[in-house]
Amino acid sequence: MQGIPAEKTKILIISDSIGETAEQVAKAALSQFNLQEYDIRRHSFVSEIGQIDDILEEAMAKDTIIMFTLVIEEVKKYLVAETEKRNILSIDLMSSIMEVLEKRFGTKPIGEAGMIRKLDEEYFRKIEAIEFAVKYDDGKDPRGLKKADIVLIGISRTSKTPLSMYLAHRNIKVANVPLVPEVKPPKELYEVSSQKIIGLTTDPYKLIEIRKERIKALGLKDGANYASIQRIIEELEYADEIMRKLSCPVIDVSARAVEESASIILEICREIGYNVGKLK
């Protein structure tokens, strides 16, 4: 085994993202050499040549090793050239992996910094939207209406919850409110912009069949008022009155799949210029 270096080794981690992975790789490799003392310093979000110059100012050739994960070709080439010029050891932690993957997939890497971070952010936005849809489903807490990107309103069995969850998977925060003649809508519904409210309606005869199936699933009697044509028409008329008061757009979901209804909702938002955030 080689002797331990007399001077404390300095490891500079340079990354166009956070650099946490590069630091862990460095520590794993260094652990194989029985080094008792070394100093790791991480430089994150490096995407410009000027940043490289600043970092190299603190590097001393004889006691510094640079390990980097850079995908921006111009910045990477500059770092390699400068470390060679200054006789500083530099190790590209990405190049061999990228070369193998390039050969395997037959395509060039996109060369965009921070892609893992962006993917993580996208994932957490989706989780947040799903949790929001669950929390503010079926009018559970009207305070969520002001926080929502889109508010869905409609009578029972008009796909409010499936649409809320589908849109949540597109990173959109959706709250929904059931409209029932015997229950006054929450005051918060009248305090949000009509641009983000979408009314859902349906064909009464299609709804009878849907509600009958729901009654069976609940183990109730067929003659329940919930599935009667008189009750359904009463509910639809009440909902129509509320939607007209709110001046919100209305879509008929009776013959549409959830995906199709969601697409129409988003198109309505685009047409009126309402920005629903991260949706593309």
Side-chain angles (χ1 to χ4, degrees), residues 37-254:
E37 289 190 9
Y38 56 85
D39 180 21
I40 292 185
R41 300 183 189 179
R42 193 195 304 177
H43 295 272
S44 306
F45 307 114
V46 176
S47 59
E48 298 176 0
I49 286 173
Q51 291 173 278
I52 298 295
D53 289 330
D54 293 339
I55 294 166
L56 290 178
E57 287 301 314
E58 72 172 272
M60 299 296 293
K62 63 179 180 178
D63 70 347
T64 300
I65 300 171
I66 291 177
M67 299 185 186
F68 62 92
T69 54
L70 299 171
V71 297
I72 301 173
E73 198 63 28
E74 180 186 12
V75 177
K76 181 168 71 174
K77 284 181 178 178
Y78 182 79
L79 173 62
V80 171
E82 286 300 306
T83 51
E84 286 179 356
K85 188 188 300 182
R86 301 176 191 221
N87 198 29
I88 300 172
L89 174 62
S90 67
I91 303 168
D92 185 348
L93 298 177
M94 290 281 281
S95 63
S96 59
I97 298 172
M98 299 291 272
E99 285 167 8
V100 170
L101 292 177
E102 185 179 334
K103 288 177 183 176
R104 171 64 179 81
F105 298 125
T107 183
K108 292 280 185 186
I110 57 178
E112 184 176 343
M115 285 303 294
I116 291 177
R117 187 177 72 256
K118 289 179 182 178
L119 289 172
D120 285 345
E121 288 171 357
E122 183 84 1
Y123 171 77
F124 286 116
R125 278 199 302 270
K126 182 183 293 185
I127 295 301
E128 185 180 0
I130 292 170
E131 290 176 346
F132 186 95
V134 172
K135 184 175 182 179
Y136 298 111
D137 181 44
D138 208 31
K140 286 176 187 170
D141 185 349
R143 292 174 298 180
L145 300 182
K146 293 182 179 180
K147 303 173 188 176
D149 295 319
I150 291 175
V151 176
L152 302 178
I153 61 173
I155 68 173
S156 175
R157 317 314 291 176
T158 50
S159 300
K160 296 185 300 300
T161 297
L163 277 167
S164 295
M165 295 307 298
Y166 182 86
L167 291 167
H169 279 83
R170 303 288 296 274
N171 304 340
I172 300 169
K173 294 179 180 178
V174 185
N176 71 74
V177 178
L179 298 179
V180 183
E182 293 79 14
V183 181
K184 192 176 180 181
K187 62 180 177 60
E188 289 86 353
L189 186 60
Y190 297 96
E191 295 171 358
V192 300
S193 169
S194 61
Q195 285 191 317
K196 71 177 185 179
I197 300 174
I198 302 290
L200 306 176
T201 190
T202 189
D203 176 79
Y205 294 99
K206 266 193 174 300
L207 191 54
I208 287 174
E209 298 308 314
I210 293 170
R211 288 193 175 183
K212 281 182 177 178
E213 290 301 317
R214 178 61 175 163
I215 286 170
K216 285 180 186 176
L218 294 172
L220 301 175
K221 293 180 180 179
D222 259 358
N225 189 42
Y226 178 69
S228 72
I229 187 64
Q230 293 86 356
R231 174 62 184 182
I232 288 172
I233 289 174
E234 180 189 352
E235 288 184 37
L236 287 170
E237 287 177 348
Y238 172 74
D240 182 61
E241 181 185 346
I242 298 295
M243 293 170 193
R244 279 190 279 107
K245 280 182 183 177
L246 292 167
S247 299
C248 68
V250 179
I251 67 168
D252 187 336
V253 300
S254 43

